[in-house]
Amino acid sequence: MGPFAERMPGRVYREFVSPGRDGLKFLRFGLVSLPSGSEQVIVGTPEELALVIMGGKCDITCLGFKWAGLGDRSTPFDGKASAAYIPAGIGFTIAAQTPLLIALAAAPGSPGGIPQVVHPNDVEVSTSGMGNFRREVHTIIGPNISARRLFFGEVFGPEGNWITYPPHKHDTTSEREANLEEVRYYLSLPAGGFGFERVYAADGSFDHVKVVEDGSVSAIPCGYHTAASAPGYQFYYLWAMAGPVRDWKTVDDPDHS
């Protein structure tokens, strides 16, 4: 079990991926679920954390900071996110004002960072692609936050669109590319939708295609990757990235760019 599974009851925290599983070396990802009026204390760990509020409202207290009333949406489809960055070694408390769902990403960190909060107006929103591969990208934990390794964001695609295209990768270190593994958490509107994700190597050494549904979690340690949703379902995915160095550069597959 990871450091959070050991500290929180099973019904509070559900972990999906962790270092040493699914080819990952750095990333841990899970969901924290708290009923209204409850409080959860998390002891500091060697990992830095990104906490993105998926739905609900809460107070987060740590190291003399208190961020009250965080959360402005019922689901990710209702607007931009609120989030918090907690450096390694710092404990904190979450107090749920309403039923609360938080996505938690973690990666190895080092002490000495400063906790930071991201309000909806701080989220960087951009549009990528065009036509049937247009999507809206929300960067939540990016250059705006002084993290050691983590990046965190959300992507929203119209129904039936490619939600990642052209295929791209970020698994080596060069002037054009950063070495970053990735975890994705997919949701659909309405619930019950499905899509497809492909992860492959240019040399053909692996080529994995799988169905992704509402609630699917995908680990992408390396390779080009792309995804599409079925008609009739607006699709969303939350993405977390981390690597040996905090740099953010990707390269497209030249065969499809």
Side-chain angles (χ1 to χ4, degrees), residues 10 44 81 105 109 132 140 178 188 204 226 244:
N132 68 345
I140 303 169
S188 72
T226 185

Tab-separated table of all heavy atoms in Angstrom, residues 10 44 81 105 109 132 140 178 188 204 226 244:
chain	number	residue	atom	x	y	z
A	10	GLY	N	-10.213	2.766	3.950
A	10	GLY	CA	-10.391	2.325	2.578
A	10	GLY	C	-11.503	3.033	1.835
A	10	GLY	O	-11.437	3.233	0.630
A	44	GLY	N	2.470	14.299	6.666
A	44	GLY	CA	3.404	14.558	5.573
A	44	GLY	C	4.161	13.314	5.145
A	44	GLY	O	4.478	12.446	5.967
A	81	ALA	N	-11.413	24.137	-12.296
A	81	ALA	CA	-11.100	23.468	-11.034
A	81	ALA	C	-10.517	24.426	-10.000
A	81	ALA	O	-9.967	25.486	-10.326
A	81	ALA	CB	-10.099	22.336	-11.282
A	105	ALA	N	-2.728	13.389	-6.981
A	105	ALA	CA	-1.547	12.887	-7.679
A	105	ALA	C	-0.327	13.176	-6.814
A	105	ALA	O	-0.254	14.223	-6.161
A	105	ALA	CB	-1.384	13.543	-9.043
A	109	GLY	N	9.275	14.076	-3.876
A	109	GLY	CA	9.619	15.484	-3.756
A	109	GLY	C	10.777	15.673	-2.813
A	109	GLY	O	11.449	14.727	-2.410
A	132	ASN	N	-12.664	17.833	-35.918
A	132	ASN	CA	-13.023	16.693	-35.071
A	132	ASN	C	-11.891	16.245	-34.149
A	132	ASN	O	-11.965	15.169	-33.565
A	132	ASN	CB	-13.512	15.521	-35.924
A	132	ASN	CG	-12.419	14.918	-36.768
A	132	ASN	OD1	-11.356	15.508	-36.954
A	132	ASN	ND2	-12.678	13.731	-37.303
A	140	ILE	N	-3.767	23.179	-14.705
A	140	ILE	CA	-4.044	23.536	-13.312
A	140	ILE	C	-2.747	23.693	-12.518
A	140	ILE	O	-2.504	24.707	-11.885
A	140	ILE	CB	-4.949	22.465	-12.671
A	140	ILE	CG1	-6.255	22.320	-13.476
A	140	ILE	CG2	-5.255	22.816	-11.217
A	140	ILE	CD1	-7.083	21.105	-13.086
A	178	ALA	N	10.703	16.182	-23.273
A	178	ALA	CA	10.964	15.930	-21.859
A	178	ALA	C	10.501	14.518	-21.511
A	178	ALA	O	9.547	13.994	-22.093
A	178	ALA	CB	10.227	16.941	-20.991
A	188	SER	N	-17.200	10.611	-18.756
A	188	SER	CA	-18.039	10.960	-19.901
A	188	SER	C	-19.320	11.632	-19.427
A	188	SER	O	-19.761	11.450	-18.292
A	188	SER	CB	-18.382	9.718	-20.728
A	188	SER	OG	-19.314	8.895	-20.057
A	204	GLY	N	7.326	-0.300	-33.414
A	204	GLY	CA	6.417	-1.442	-33.396
A	204	GLY	C	6.639	-2.419	-32.265
A	204	GLY	O	6.001	-3.475	-32.227
A	226	THR	N	-2.793	8.447	-28.142
A	226	THR	CA	-3.906	9.184	-28.717
A	226	THR	C	-5.197	8.567	-28.197
A	226	THR	O	-5.194	7.432	-27.701
A	226	THR	CB	-3.859	9.140	-30.261
A	226	THR	OG1	-4.890	9.970	-30.799
A	226	THR	CG2	-4.024	7.721	-30.792
A	244	PRO	N	11.910	12.647	-14.147
A	244	PRO	CA	13.132	12.908	-13.389
A	244	PRO	C	13.456	14.390	-13.268
A	244	PRO	O	14.071	14.822	-12.295
A	244	PRO	CB	14.204	12.153	-14.174
A	244	PRO	CG	13.632	11.962	-15.534
A	244	PRO	CD	12.164	11.853	-15.360
